[in-house]
Amino acid sequence: MLENERQEEILAVIKQKKYIKPKELSQTLFVSLSTIRRDLIHLEKLGLIHKHHGQVSLFENNEPAHELRQKDHHEEKNYIAKIASNYLENGKTIFLDSSTTTNALCPYINEFSNLTIITNSLKNALDLSVNTSNHVIVTGGTLKPFSVSLLGEKASSFIQEFNADLAFFSCKSFDLTGVYEEDFQQGYLKNNMISQAKIAILLSDASKLYKKNFYTFSTYASIQTIILDQKPDNKFIEMCHAHECELDW
């Protein structure tokens, strides 16, 4: 995980500059070169940066480390999770994807009993292990680098063997047409969760609205409920009504 605010500042500078030398980072942040180098080693181990020919850049080929994504829109995720907890009942079977938004629901899940939770997230499994009255099932699959996600054919086919009452999932973005992921394996697994659940519930902060991404994993015909952190515009509300999709915020 990130050790201090300075490392967050380093990532912000690299994002702005695209490519930068450690010495320039040192001068920009008024920090010794040795300290910068130690921070860069830590960030590289997390899979957040890439060193090449004496310069550093953000590592673009993998999703940001789970610890970093958890900090984004932290209050919004907790607000969404609190609303989502109203849909939980003792004795239900639920799917949880590996998103940080869904992970925020885990403390609320731990307040219930006799639940069966099926997830492809190692972080979810650990957070839910404190309540021994619930049953936590983790999919098989391949661990995605710098992530907590188990993905691949085994993970997706594992999901298809179960039927759940509820599926809680998030997304990379969504618009009036559908819901998107940047990783098709993530999207395919989430689509299987939606298909195998009686009620599919999308959890997302409003910053993801009206953005497209690489892979469309669901349309609104397959989603029963959408929970946001704030009221969307009338166009989106009308679209939800047209698809008989419940909207909560």
Side-chain angles (χ1 to χ4, degrees):
M1 61 185 297
L2 295 184
E3 293 180 344
N4 51 50
E5 292 183 6
R6 184 183 62 250
Q7 291 176 359
E8 294 183 6
E9 292 174 357
I10 289 172
L11 290 175
V13 172
I14 297 173
K15 183 177 181 180
Q16 181 183 21
K17 297 283 188 178
K18 305 300 183 185
Y19 294 92
I20 189 170
K21 293 182 178 180
K23 184 176 180 180
E24 187 179 350
L25 269 173
S26 172
Q27 295 170 343
T28 301
L29 298 177
F30 302 101
V31 178
S32 71
L33 184 56
S34 61
T35 299
I36 288 293
R37 283 173 174 157
R38 284 196 298 270
D39 286 337
L40 292 177
I41 290 171
H42 181 71
L43 294 172
E44 188 175 31
K45 286 180 179 178
L46 288 177
L48 299 176
I49 66 166
H50 174 66
K51 295 179 183 177
H52 186 67
H53 294 312
Q55 297 189 99
V56 294
S57 63
L58 292 184
F59 200 102
E60 301 290 354
N61 295 325
N62 288 289
E63 66 181 359
H66 192 273
E67 291 89 347
L68 184 61
R69 289 189 291 117
Q70 268 189 317
K71 292 186 176 183
D72 291 338
H73 302 283
H74 179 72
E75 292 183 4
E76 291 89 339
K77 291 172 184 177
N78 286 337
Y79 175 81
I80 292 166
K82 186 174 183 180
I83 297 175
S85 69
N86 294 322
Y87 293 81
L88 295 170
E89 294 179 24
N90 293 334
K92 296 294 185 180
T93 298
I94 63 176
F95 290 130
L96 290 181
D97 75 357
S98 58
S99 65
T100 53
T101 304
T102 303
N103 180 251
L105 184 58
C106 288
Y108 296 97
I109 292 174
N110 284 332
E111 296 176 4
F112 290 80
S113 61
N114 198 31
L115 293 174
T116 299
I117 305 111
I118 304 157
T119 184
N120 69 315
S121 165
L122 300 180
K123 181 72 164 64
N124 285 348
L126 288 172
D127 290 349
L128 294 169
S129 65
V130 298
N131 184 340
T132 57
S133 70
N134 292 328
H135 311 283
V136 181
I137 300 172
V138 183
T139 69
T142 303
L143 181 63
K144 183 175 181 179
F146 316 116
S147 176
V148 295
S149 302
L150 292 169
L151 298 174
E153 183 179 349
K154 286 192 177 295
S156 294
S157 61
F158 187 86
I159 292 296
Q160 293 174 334
E161 297 176 6
F162 294 88
N163 297 302
D165 298 296
L166 303 167
F168 293 100
F169 62 97
S170 190
C171 63
K172 193 67 177 180
S173 61
F174 61 108
D175 59 16
L176 295 174
T177 304
V179 190
Y180 308 101
E181 265 298 338
E182 65 180 2
D183 184 324
F184 79 92
Q185 291 191 80
Q186 289 274 24
Y188 185 69
L189 185 141
K190 293 179 185 191
N191 181 268
N192 284 345
M193 288 183 171
I194 292 169
S195 299
Q196 297 297 115
K198 293 178 183 177
I199 299 175
I201 303 177
L202 171 63
L203 312 179
S204 180
D205 62 83
S207 70
K208 299 177 181 179
L209 182 56
Y210 296 129
K211 297 176 182 177
K212 280 192 179 294
N213 226 290
F214 173 68
Y215 183 80
T216 306
F217 70 87
S218 183
T219 63
Y220 297 104
S222 302
I223 298 173
Q224 284 70 48
T225 302
I226 301 172
I227 301 176
L228 305 175
D229 61 310
Q230 59 183 270
K231 183 179 180 180
D233 62 22
N234 288 333
K235 286 191 300 183
F236 192 79
I237 293 175
E238 291 170 3
M239 183 278 299
C240 289
H241 287 164
H243 287 88
E244 298 182 349
C245 185
E246 181 184 0
L247 189 59
D248 207 345
W249 65 84

